Amino acid sequence: MFEVILSETHHSLKLTKWGQTQLMILYLLVSGTCSLVTVLQPPVIMSPLGRAVVLQSNLFLSPDEKMLAQPVLYWDHLKEDSDNGRLWPSSKKYKSRVALMDSNEDSFNKSILLKNVQWDDSGQYLCKLSITTERKKFRELGTPTLLMVYDSMFFNITAHEDPLLCCEVNVTRDPAVVLSIYHEGSKLETGDSAPEEAAAALPYVTLSKSVHVRGGGNYECQLHLNADLITNSSFQYNPSGVEVFPEPWPLYGSLLLVPITVLLGLIIVQKCRS
Ligand SMILES: *[C@@H]1O[C@H](CO)[C@@H](O)[C@H](O)[C@H]1NC(C)=O
């Protein structure tokens, strides 16, 4: 017998560090003398399946550049042909799932929201802006953002004789995505099950790790993209099986109070009569 406590947390958009350094470099460049128009996108973003994700893009202009008109915004999913793959202005396919994050068209923040993310959505997204300045009219491209998708994590005992703790998650295929299991904070050597050949056609891969549980305590499975924690799941293992329930003292107390009051009442009645 063992006691199970499962918990799962999601960390979408874990790539905030990127933004800060890139923006700082950019501000330094923009504040310099060279004239500059840049569309900045993060290189990679991970989204839980079925959730909404923000595809970020920001326009930067150096002070000597003046726009004569509002830039025209396009967002494309590069996997698809240009008719189907246009998120903004939305093609039929994306109409109900895409919204601008900042509806003020003067804003330089050109991020969009993609709702109900599906496996099919994984891939490269490119933001393009048609810009008219005093000097010229041109189209400025960002650098594509790779959207990766992951499903909820399974982390549980699979064999009860010699308990095997198994962690499994479906995620967009990428060598930078790694699954690992920890016991009381230290990383464990794990057995991998090789992904099946037949699954090669799927848009995701099932990552799987397992360990033989040796001691009780807290086990944790973590999904990382390089150094960033994407999602994790915990498992409490208690091999003794002694279930410890806290004693409900307040309940006992209140239960005892009933006969005591009745008894007191009776005594008082007896005393009065005699
Ligand atoms: C642009 O908007 C998005 C979504 O509202 C936000 O997460 C991001 O931080 C903004 N970028 C900048 C540079 O302000």
Side-chain angles (χ1 to χ4, degrees):
M1 280 299 291
F2 46 84
E3 204 183 320
V4 177
I5 300 165
L6 273 180
S7 72
E8 195 174 340
T9 45
H10 281 286
H11 310 260
S12 55
L13 312 190
K14 259 271 138 191
L15 308 144
T16 42
K17 272 170 263 158
W18 168 83
Q20 255 116 54
T21 25
Q22 298 268 320
L23 285 181
M24 253 171 57
I25 292 166
L26 205 79
Y27 282 132
L28 290 179
L29 282 175
V30 168
S31 57
T33 47
C34 64
S35 81
L36 187 73
V37 179
T38 316
V39 177
L40 201 64
Q41 297 181 238
V44 60
I45 254 173
M46 291 208 72
S47 167
L49 187 68
R51 307 282 187 91
V53 69
V54 177
L55 297 171
Q56 281 198 47
S57 174
N58 286 277
L59 170 65
F60 292 91
L61 287 186
S62 56
D64 57 329
E65 292 281 8
K66 282 243 150 33
M67 283 192 296
L68 297 182
Q70 276 167 348
V72 184
L73 173 67
Y74 304 93
W75 266 100
D76 286 334
H77 186 185
L78 296 183
K79 192 165 78 177
E80 310 205 35
D81 60 77
S82 51
D83 280 347
N84 275 322
R86 183 135 283 175
L87 277 75
W88 196 268
S90 299
S91 66
K92 214 185 259 162
K93 181 176 169 195
Y94 288 106
K95 197 122 237 160
S96 57
R97 291 174 59 212
V98 176
L100 280 182
M101 285 304 286
D102 193 341
S103 50
N104 172 13
E105 291 195 23
D106 287 328
S107 167
F108 279 15
N109 192 330
K110 300 298 180 187
S111 306
I112 55 167
L113 185 72
L114 176 62
K115 293 175 226 172
N116 188 18
V117 166
Q118 300 298 302
W119 289 118
D120 235 18
D121 293 326
S122 53
Q124 308 268 6
Y125 290 81
L126 184 63
C127 176
K128 306 178 204 173
L129 287 167
S130 282
I131 294 166
T132 314
T133 64
E134 280 160 342
R135 265 174 270 199
K136 55 182 175 171
K137 193 172 173 0
F138 58 100
R139 187 169 272 204
E140 188 68 33
L141 310 184
T143 46
T145 298
L146 174 64
L147 174 65
M148 295 171 66
V149 184
Y150 61 94
D151 202 352
S152 42
M153 187 180 264
F154 168 89
F155 192 37
N156 214 332
I157 297 273
T158 51
H160 291 247
E161 293 301 302
D162 179 14
L164 191 67
L165 188 54
C166 190
C167 182
E168 220 170 75
V169 67
N170 291 339
V171 60
T172 308
R173 191 182 297 269
D174 191 293
V177 178
V178 177
L179 199 63
S180 29
I181 300 178
Y182 295 78
H183 179 222
E184 297 295 337
S186 47
K187 193 169 165 178
L188 300 175
E189 284 297 317
T190 47
D192 301 35
S193 14
E196 327 95 74
E197 286 301 311
L202 290 172
Y204 59 83
V205 62
T206 304
L207 299 182
S208 168
K209 294 268 168 163
S210 54
V211 285
H212 288 284
V213 254
R214 290 290 173 250
N218 181 52
Y219 289 81
E220 192 181 341
C221 185
Q222 299 185 349
L223 182 71
H224 279 93
L225 173 69
N226 297 315
D228 288 307
L229 178 65
I230 303 304
T231 183
N232 65 336
S233 180
S234 299
F235 186 93
Q236 279 297 330
Y237 183 67
N238 174 12
S240 67
V242 184
E243 292 187 70
V244 191
F245 292 112
E247 293 282 342
W249 289 116
L251 181 65
Y252 296 167
S254 54
L255 282 178
L256 263 175
L257 251 146
V258 177
I260 286 174
T261 7
V262 170
L263 215 77
L264 270 175
L266 283 176
I267 289 170
I268 288 165
V269 168
Q270 288 285 324
K271 281 259 153 86
C272 292
R273 280 199 188 151
S274 58

